[in-house]
Each structure stands twice: as C-alpha cells, then as structure tokens.
Amino acid sequence: MSEDIWAGIRERVLRLAERPGSDKVFGARGHGFRLGPVMREEQLQALEAALGVGLPAQYRSFLLRVGGGGAGPYYGLMTPAVGDGGWRWRGIGLACPAQSTGAELAGRPFVAEVLQRELDVLENEEPKRDACTAEDAFRHAYAAWDARYEELYDAQEAGAVFLGS
C-alpha cells in the first residue's frame, strides 16, 4: 500500500478546527479536530507483540502517518496507549470516550458469530416469572441466566477493537 494516501491528511484535519462553523460538525465538540501524536515503529511493534498479531496495513500506516487517535468519524477515534495494565485503546481527548479495549482481549480469536448463535438460544431460555412457583426461585434462575448472558455478550468483543466512538 502506498504511504501517499495519507499525505497531508494530518495537517488538513488539524486545520479544520479553524474553519468557521467547525464546531457545528457532528462530534466536533468531542474531538475538537485534535489528533494524537503519530506513533513510532517501535511503539507499533510493541503493540503488535502484546496483541500477538499484526495490525492491518492501512491502520498501521494511519497510526504512523496521521495520528494515534482523536478526530475522526462521529465522536472520534480511539487511541492505542500503554499504561500500567498494558496496551488499551482509549478515548484520550474525546468528550465521549466510549469503551476501552485491552490488547489481551483484542488479541484473541474473533468468535462473535459463534457466540451470537449461543446468545440466540439463551435468549429463548430466559426465565419467565410465571413459570416459577416462588419469587426467590425466579430471582435465582434469572440471576444465573443473566450472568451467562453477560458473559457471552462480553466475550463477543474478543478479537475486536473499538476504533471509534
């Protein structure tokens, strides 16, 4: 892929904040047309090592040439950042930071489609109050069902990264 597709993009995005009416663009109040610093090759290699997989070439190129996050569609792009807990994609500088994604979860195999089938089955097994003779029995059955539902729902995020908010 040619690096030229990103030529001048960073500068153009940063200049958008100076244009009349830029504050009226959807999401601009959140990202303010700011961009995170471009990443260094060593940082990307460390991130990919934490993931256990390489990043897609276009995203990698974007991080190296345009910036690590900030201005983007809707409320902005998440920023890969390393901290005490390792690498995470965070809404750094965004008014609406969305959900942070850790490299440990993002580096797992993508299994959302398989889990969706399990969720569909589980939804049909949701406990019904009128099927239980006692309120305590219903609450216990529902709590167990809900815990499994949340576990499967959250597990769908494996192998994915929230890039935008």
Side-chain angles (χ1 to χ4, degrees):
M1 184 187 89
S2 171
E3 298 291 318
D4 293 339
I5 68 166
W6 302 120
I9 296 293
R10 182 178 176 83
E11 295 75 20
R12 289 175 26 212
V13 169
L14 295 174
R15 282 195 313 264
L16 285 173
E18 301 165 9
R19 305 234 358 150
S22 64
D23 60 329
K24 305 281 189 263
V25 173
F26 182 83
R29 288 188 185 155
H31 58 66
F33 295 103
R34 294 178 305 269
L35 289 169
V38 296
M39 294 182 73
R40 296 183 324 275
E41 180 63 34
E42 304 80 42
Q43 290 174 301
L44 280 177
Q45 288 175 1
L47 173 57
E48 289 172 329
L51 286 170
V53 66
L55 295 170
Q58 289 183 332
Y59 182 51
R60 197 172 203 291
S61 177
F62 179 87
L63 294 172
L64 287 168
R65 301 278 314 258
V66 179
Y74 301 106
Y75 295 107
L77 299 174
M78 304 294 274
T79 301
V82 69
D84 293 339
W87 282 95
R88 298 191 74 70
W89 277 264
R90 295 189 171 124
I92 297 172
L94 304 181
C96 302
Q99 181 165 343
S100 179
T101 304
E104 189 277 331
L105 183 65
R108 293 182 188 169
F110 185 71
V111 293
E113 290 143 351
V114 172
L115 293 177
Q116 185 58 56
R117 288 191 288 276
E118 286 187 55
L119 277 165
D120 291 343
V121 169
L122 189 61
E123 282 182 4
N124 291 327
E125 298 172 353
E126 180 179 353
K128 307 290 184 235
R129 187 175 305 272
D130 58 355
C132 296
T133 56
E135 183 64 26
D136 283 346
F138 170 74
R139 280 199 306 271
H140 183 356
Y142 192 86
W145 175 88
D146 189 51
R148 178 65 179 147
Y149 187 90
E150 290 297 319
E151 177 186 345
L152 288 173
Y153 188 83
D154 291 347
Q156 289 186 87
E157 297 170 8
V161 174
F162 293 97
L163 293 181
S165 62

